[in-house]
Amino acid sequence: MNVRANQSQPPSETRPTVATAPGKAILFGEHAVVYGRPAIAVPVTDVQARATITTGERGTGVRLVAADLPAPDGRPGGRRYRLRDAPADDPLRAIVELALAAFAPGGPTGAGVGGLDSEPDLQVTVTSTIPIARGLGSGAAVATAVARAIARYFGQLPRSDEISRLVYEVEKLHHGTPSGIDNTVIAYEQPVYFVRGEGMKRLSVGAPLSLVIADTGVVSSTREVVGDLRHRWQAQPERYEGLFDEIGAIARLARSAIERGDPRAVGRLMDENHELLMTIGVSSPELDRLVKVARAGGALGAKMSGAGWGGNMLALVESHRAQIVADALCQAGAASTIFSQIS
Ligand code: MEV
């Protein structure tokens, strides 16, 4: 509960309030992190979600505009709806309610929307350059941007852990058992070494890491991939616990390789991590193909990233080879590539 909420003032003017949040990439340890092993993730600032809050006309309540999503009738111009008309598990509705409860004046004591006594008149507009359902954290980034924008609108400057906690609640709607790594790396906007339940540990990067991030173009649902793996883990717990241990050991080694600035070692560990992700059944033929192409094109290492079965893969490159590797990935069918420098 945010103790400052009751002290906050409604804005005195109607200038739009804007906040952004980056995408993310998991360098090591996805999936095993759900089972308590360490993982490493970095913010990808080259793609961003943005939320804009404007004061609406009196009595209109909260209106949501997801400007990049087509309207239900397929026409461009965005999906527009009233907060109170959305289902309770709509992720935008959820984060707006959570953020209003935490940051709007009046406190979270009433019975109205967001636990407020009365619904404020606001328009919340969301745009994003982060591809949806491709392992780059678009859901967590949108929720982070909205929570930050609402906080700012009400004159609050919340800490990263407060934002992360709210976004984690929304992550639970995306898939039932999130580790918390996505909301953490996105809310803190820093490289993180993450262990579930242990809070944020900043990872220092000894030498910059140049990444080419390539999109298979295949949409995949984190909920489905995580749920499918859970069934296999339940059927053969010893086998999967052993594989998760191996992934966790790689993440630990990667942490020291990143800290001491040894990209060649980081690349080798990415290759090993990818083999294990194939073994636990979360990769896909498209991902495996792009991983091979990146290595053949001179990447220091390559792996899928995020939930898998589609989405994005990462290639670690020497910066002068980034364009060559990106071109090879596009020729091999990547839908798009992003360059990102992590430091
Ligand atoms: C999704 O970005 C990462 C997974 O490890 C799920 C999670 O950590 O919640 C697949």
Side-chain angles (χ1 to χ4, degrees), residues 56-63 82 84 119-122:
E57 280 174 36
R58 187 177 281 272
T60 52
V62 181
R63 301 186 69 79
R82 287 192 315 178
R84 66 180 94 120
E119 187 178 334
D121 300 314
L122 302 176

Side-chain angles (χ1 to χ4, degrees), residues 229-244:
L229 178 58
R230 181 164 292 276
H231 286 132
R232 280 178 281 125
W233 170 74
Q234 280 163 344
Q236 288 181 286
E238 273 174 30
R239 170 174 150 77
Y240 282 91
E241 284 295 321
L243 291 164
F244 296 152

Side-chain angles (χ1 to χ4, degrees), residues 24 26 29-31 33-34 135 175 177-182 222 226 306-307:
K24 69 98 205 333
I26 299 191
E30 51 272 270
H31 287 290
V33 68
V34 174
H175 75 98
T177 56
S179 64
I181 191 168
D182 287 14
T222 301
V226 170

Side-chain angles (χ1 to χ4, degrees), residues 91-132:
L92 266 186
R93 174 178 175 153
I95 191 62
V96 169
E97 289 194 347
L98 286 161
L100 288 175
F103 306 124
T109 52
V113 165
L116 299 174
D117 292 335
S118 63
E119 187 178 334
D121 300 314
L122 302 176
Q123 177 163 305
V124 181
T125 303
V126 176
T127 59
S128 176
T129 58
I130 308 171
I132 297 169

Side-chain angles (χ1 to χ4, degrees), residues 3-331:
V3 288
R4 290 170 297 167
N6 290 337
Q7 299 155 12
S8 64
Q9 295 300 314
S12 53
E13 29 116 351
T14 58
R15 221 152 28 114
T17 310
V18 179
T20 60
K24 69 98 205 333
I26 299 191
L27 292 192
F28 292 96
E30 51 272 270
H31 287 290
V33 68
V34 174
Y35 298 83
R37 276 50 165 206
I40 293 174
V42 294
V44 177
T45 51
D46 316 75
V47 284
Q48 296 270 335
R50 166 185 289 254
T52 307
I53 314 289
T54 46
T55 307
E57 280 174 36
R58 187 177 281 272
T60 52
V62 181
R63 301 186 69 79
L64 301 169
V65 182
D68 298 322
L69 297 179
D73 62 8
R75 273 190 277 169
R79 194 157 86 85
R80 295 164 179 271
Y81 52 105
R82 287 192 315 178
L83 184 81
R84 66 180 94 120
D85 295 339
D89 64 352
D90 177 87
L92 266 186
R93 174 178 175 153
I95 191 62
V96 169
E97 289 194 347
L98 286 161
L100 288 175
F103 306 124
T109 52
V113 165
L116 299 174
D117 292 335
S118 63
E119 187 178 334
D121 300 314
L122 302 176
Q123 177 163 305
V124 181
T125 303
V126 176
T127 59
S128 176
T129 58
I130 308 171
I132 297 169
R134 312 285 173 85
L136 293 182
S138 83
V142 163
T144 300
V146 169
R148 282 182 180 153
I150 288 179
R152 264 179 218 169
Y153 182 84
F154 289 108
Q156 303 251 6
L157 266 180
R159 296 187 316 267
S160 303
D161 64 303
E162 292 176 280
I163 296 290
S164 181
R165 195 168 39 79
L166 298 183
V167 176
Y168 181 67
E169 293 305 311
V170 181
E171 287 289 285
K172 289 188 199 163
L173 299 173
H174 290 292
H175 75 98
T177 56
S179 64
I181 191 168
D182 287 14
N183 47 287
T184 302
V185 66
I186 289 171
Y188 283 87
E189 297 199 39
Q190 293 182 6
V192 297
Y193 179 81
F194 181 85
V195 180
R196 189 172 189 170
E198 288 188 8
M200 142 80 178
K201 287 192 187 73
R202 193 195 193 285
L203 178 67
S204 62
V205 179
L209 298 173
S210 295
L211 294 177
V212 179
I213 305 173
D215 190 346
T216 58
V218 178
V219 170
S220 91
S221 146
T222 301
R223 178 185 281 277
E224 275 177 35
V225 189
V226 170
D228 186 81
L229 178 58
R230 181 164 292 276
H231 286 132
R232 280 178 281 125
W233 170 74
Q234 280 163 344
Q236 288 181 286
E238 273 174 30
R239 170 174 150 77
Y240 282 91
E241 284 295 321
L243 291 164
F244 296 152
D245 281 343
E246 285 186 54
I247 294 174
I250 288 174
R252 277 187 212 98
L253 290 171
R255 176 191 196 172
S256 31
I258 292 170
E259 284 175 346
R260 69 174 184 269
D262 185 350
R264 286 190 183 277
V266 176
R268 277 194 302 275
L269 292 163
M270 286 171 74
D271 290 346
E272 286 178 31
N273 195 164
H274 185 75
E275 297 303 312
L276 285 160
L277 290 162
M278 288 170 74
T279 308
I280 64 171
V282 297
S283 191
S284 71
E286 294 85 356
L287 284 164
D288 295 344
R289 204 161 101 81
L290 293 185
V291 163
K292 271 196 197 129
V293 166
R295 290 176 190 156
L300 300 172
K303 67 180 275 290
M304 56 155 275
S305 180
W309 286 3
N312 278 273
M313 54 76 65
L314 312 175
L316 179 66
V317 295
E318 292 165 299
S319 49
H320 66 276
R321 292 198 71 84
Q323 192 61 57
I324 298 166
V325 172
D327 289 347
L329 289 165
C330 287
Q331 270 166 22

